[in-house]
Each structure stands twice: as C-alpha cells, then as structure tokens.
C-alpha cells in the first residue's frame, strides 16, 4: 500500500478545543524547571484502544511497510527473543495506524510550546512492551538520558513524548523522572551511543549519582501515573527510567522522539576517533553537503509548524 505521512493529510491548524489542550504559562515554566510535563487528555479512549490493537498486530507480524535497510544499531524485538522487554524502533514508519493517530498537530503543538519552537518534526518512534514479570531483568529500564544517543544533533531542545496505551500507574513500571536533572552539567558520554539495554546498570546508576553531585543537587525520582489518553513529555537531558511491572498485564507504550526546527546533523567524534552514527544516518536523504538530512519528510515528518499564541496563565 502507498504510505503517506499523516502530517501531509492534516492542516497545521488547531481547533478551539485543541487550543485548550495546550500547556499554559505555568505548565511551560514547570517543564523548563523540572524537565518534564504531564499533558492534558490528548487522545480519546477509542484512539488509545486502536493504538493497542495496532501494537498487538505488529508484534504478531503485521507491517504496512518495512525499513529499506537495517541500521547498524537498530533495537528490534522479534518473537525468538521471548517474553522480555520489547523495543521496536521506527514504529511510525512501519505501522500506518500508529502514525495516523500520533503524527498529529496537537501533539506537535504541545511539544512546540514546551520547546519554544515554531516547528516540530518526528525524530524517531519506538514501540515498547514490558511483560508483567517483575523478576525479568530486562523489565527494569536503567537511568539514562536521551541526549547521549543524539550527540551528533545540534539541538539542545529535543524531547520525547511517552504515550501509554492504557492507564499507566506506578505498579506497571511507569516512566520515572529524575526531577530537574536536565539542568545538571552535561558531558558527552561515549558509552551513551549504545542502547541502555547494552549498558551496565551499575555504571548507569553511578552516572546518575555523579551527575547529581556535579549539579549540586539531590536525586529526586518521581514515578508518574499517566491516565489513559494522557502522555508525558521530557527533555532530552533529563535522567529517566522505569521499574518492574508488578501488575497482571503488560505495559504497552509508544515513545515519540521529537525535534525542533533548528535541529541538524553535526559530526561528533568519540574518544577513539570514530564518528558517532545515529540510525537515521543510513536511512534519510542527504543534504547538498552530503550529510544526513534530519528534515527528510519520509522519516522525519512535520507534526506542527506555525506560530502559537503566548500560553495563558493557568
């Protein structure tokens, strides 16, 4: 089937009802201070249920299209991996239903207001599944920050929307924020180019403690209860993770990694001299200079473009 990015089928305009869903002045101030934000209800029950059905179909083998080539650092669960934490990158590329529901102006406009930009593009998207097995080691996601993966991106305002496909309380292993940690000093981390599942958990815990010490701060962990239809947004330099799933059902969610208008590729060299490579670098089109183009509409469609009124005080 021909696949058309959802953003091409939707006018970049918000209804009066959508306008009321945007973060207000105090919400934006909270995000800038704390590094995360719990949204208003952006999805209906029907949309969330449709996302869950599409996710289940994907894990059963359904694809609307597949990647033209496999990036070297792709994380991609397959049935042979068993009942472990599932991580499938590029879900909005491979699932038309998930793209249609999530690549939308309202989600982009929320992110644009938080990031103070006039354009939000998709950077990547990931489908997650955490089994209801508290003893399963992969069900605990260690502390990490997304900027480590994006050191060859120019922007410091990248952010991620975490979208549960159901009500997501603490017992399910919801996303836990290390409050305010995005304001700690940041040093590029060579090991950060590897996925958190490939990194030593004890080393990541120590990295968190070292970051707090450098920032002269205490580690304040906040597990966020995310009601159905709501989502969180967190800054790319915010430490976050999640605990085991103690409930009786799987925790299913989508991560939308989002970029602001000014984000571009830049070269970043690791300590051993190698150039850091992001998965997009072998997929997206090239700029006239021959560099990866993070504005490629095929992989980085626009969710929102335009000016937003100053947020009202709330």
């Amino acid at each position: 089937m021909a696949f058309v990015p959802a953003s091409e089928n939707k006018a970049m305009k918000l209804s009066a009802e959508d306008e009321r869903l945007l973060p207000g002045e105090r919400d934006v101030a909270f995000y800038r201070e704390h590094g995360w934000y719990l949204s208003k209800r952006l999805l209906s029950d029907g949309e969330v249920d449709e996302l869950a059905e599409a996710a289940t179909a994907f894990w059963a083998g359904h694809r609307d299209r597949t990647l033209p080539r496999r990036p070297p650092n792709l994380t991609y669960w397959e049935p042979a991996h068993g009942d472990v934490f599932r991580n499938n990158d590029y879900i909005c590329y491979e699932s038309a239903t998930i793209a249609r529901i999530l690549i939308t102006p309202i989600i982009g406009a929320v992110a644009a207001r938080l990031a103070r930009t006039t354009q939000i593009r998709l950077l990547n998207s990931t489908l997650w599944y955490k089994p209801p097995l508290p003893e399963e080691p992969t069900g605990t996601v260690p502390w990490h920050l997304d900027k480590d993966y994006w050191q060859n991106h120019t922007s410091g305002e990248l952010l991620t929307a975490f979208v549960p496909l159901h009500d997501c309380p603490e017992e399910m292993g919801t996303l836990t924020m290390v409050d305010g940690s995005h304001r700690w000093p940041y040093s590029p981390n060579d090991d950060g180019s590897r996925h958190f599942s490939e990194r030593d958990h004890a080393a990541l815990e120590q990295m968190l403690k070292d970051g707090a010490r450098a920032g002269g701060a205490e580690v304040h962990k906040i597990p966020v209860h995310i009601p159905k239809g709501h989502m969180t947004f967190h800054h790319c330099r915010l430490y976050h993770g999640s605990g085991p799933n103690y409930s009786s059902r799987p925790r299913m969610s989508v991560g939308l990694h989002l970029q602001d208008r000014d984000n571009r590729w830049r070269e970043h060299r690791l300590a051993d001299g190698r150039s850091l490579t992001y998965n997009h670098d072998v997929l997206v089109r090239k700029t006239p200079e021959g560099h990866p183009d993070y504005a490629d509409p095929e992989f980085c469609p626009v969710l929102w473009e335009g000016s937003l009124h100053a947020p009202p005080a709330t």
Side-chain angles (χ1 to χ4, degrees):
M1 75 182 252
F3 186 93
V4 179
S7 57
E8 292 186 8
N9 291 326
K10 300 182 181 181
M12 295 294 163
K13 186 176 180 180
L14 300 180
S15 66
E17 181 179 354
D18 284 343
E19 289 273 0
R20 289 191 288 270
L21 298 176
L22 296 178
E25 182 180 337
R26 292 181 184 175
D27 297 321
V28 175
F30 181 93
Y31 174 80
R32 307 306 295 188
E33 175 73 13
H34 297 268
W36 61 277
Y37 165 69
L38 175 62
S39 79
K40 300 178 177 71
R41 185 181 176 87
L42 302 183
L43 299 173
S44 68
D45 282 354
E47 288 173 319
V48 177
D49 292 343
E50 192 174 359
L51 286 171
E53 291 172 4
T56 301
F58 177 88
W59 287 315
H62 176 80
R63 305 288 187 274
D64 291 302
R65 61 177 179 174
T66 57
L67 292 174
R69 62 191 63 84
R70 191 180 182 95
N73 299 315
L74 185 68
T75 52
Y76 203 88
W77 178 88
E78 295 174 342
H81 297 154
D83 201 10
V84 296
F85 182 82
R86 304 178 189 177
N87 190 117
N88 290 93
D89 288 338
Y90 292 98
I91 186 60
C92 282
Y93 186 91
E94 296 198 326
S95 171
T97 298
I98 292 177
R100 171 176 54 80
I101 296 173
L102 294 183
I103 301 180
T104 57
I106 180 56
I107 294 176
V110 170
R113 180 161 281 178
L114 295 174
R116 295 174 175 168
T117 183
T118 56
Q119 186 190 76
I120 287 289
R121 305 187 301 273
L122 186 69
L123 179 57
N124 205 339
S125 56
T126 305
L127 180 64
W128 290 302
Y129 173 105
K130 182 178 290 194
L133 300 171
E135 70 281 359
E136 167 54 45
T138 61
T140 297
V141 175
W143 307 112
H144 64 285
L145 52 142
D146 299 334
K147 180 61 176 175
D148 277 349
Y149 307 123
W150 302 328
Q151 294 174 63
N152 63 347
H153 295 49
T154 58
S155 175
E157 293 294 337
L158 304 170
L159 66 167
T160 295
F162 177 79
V163 189
L165 309 188
H166 43 67
D167 186 73
C168 193
E170 183 175 358
E171 68 170 358
M172 294 192 80
T174 188
L175 194 61
T176 297
M177 315 293 191
V178 181
D179 198 55
S181 56
H182 67 305
R183 294 185 286 111
W184 300 350
Y186 175 70
S187 298
N189 187 326
D190 276 7
D191 199 42
S193 61
R194 294 189 298 141
H195 192 262
F196 59 73
S197 63
E198 301 172 323
R199 299 166 69 184
D200 181 74
H201 287 207
L204 289 167
E205 184 73 32
Q206 186 60 50
M207 185 178 71
L208 175 65
K209 294 177 181 177
D210 291 344
R213 187 179 303 110
E218 294 182 358
V219 176
H220 186 200
K221 302 171 183 177
I222 301 179
V224 185
H225 181 168
I226 308 171
K228 185 176 182 179
H230 299 242
M231 59 191 73
T232 59
F233 293 77
H234 64 264
H235 192 277
C236 62
R237 281 183 19 210
L238 186 85
Y239 282 93
H240 58 284
S242 62
N245 183 359
Y246 290 101
S247 76
S248 60
R249 59 196 180 99
R251 193 207 77 180
M252 302 189 295
S253 56
V254 173
L256 293 178
H257 308 301
L258 305 170
Q259 55 180 322
D260 55 296
R261 177 183 292 279
D262 295 333
N263 186 52
R264 298 291 185 272
W265 175 91
R266 68 178 174 195
E267 185 173 42
H268 177 81
R269 291 202 172 272
L270 303 172
D272 62 6
R274 290 180 299 121
S275 181
L276 177 66
T277 300
Y278 182 59
N279 281 334
H280 272 7
D281 298 352
V282 300
L283 293 171
V284 299
R285 68 189 182 187
K286 302 300 182 183
T287 66
E289 298 76 23
H291 303 315
D293 185 0
Y294 294 163
D296 182 348
E298 186 77 0
F299 291 94
C300 306
V302 174
L303 281 74
W304 170 259
E305 184 162 28
S307 299
L308 292 167
H309 301 299
T314 54

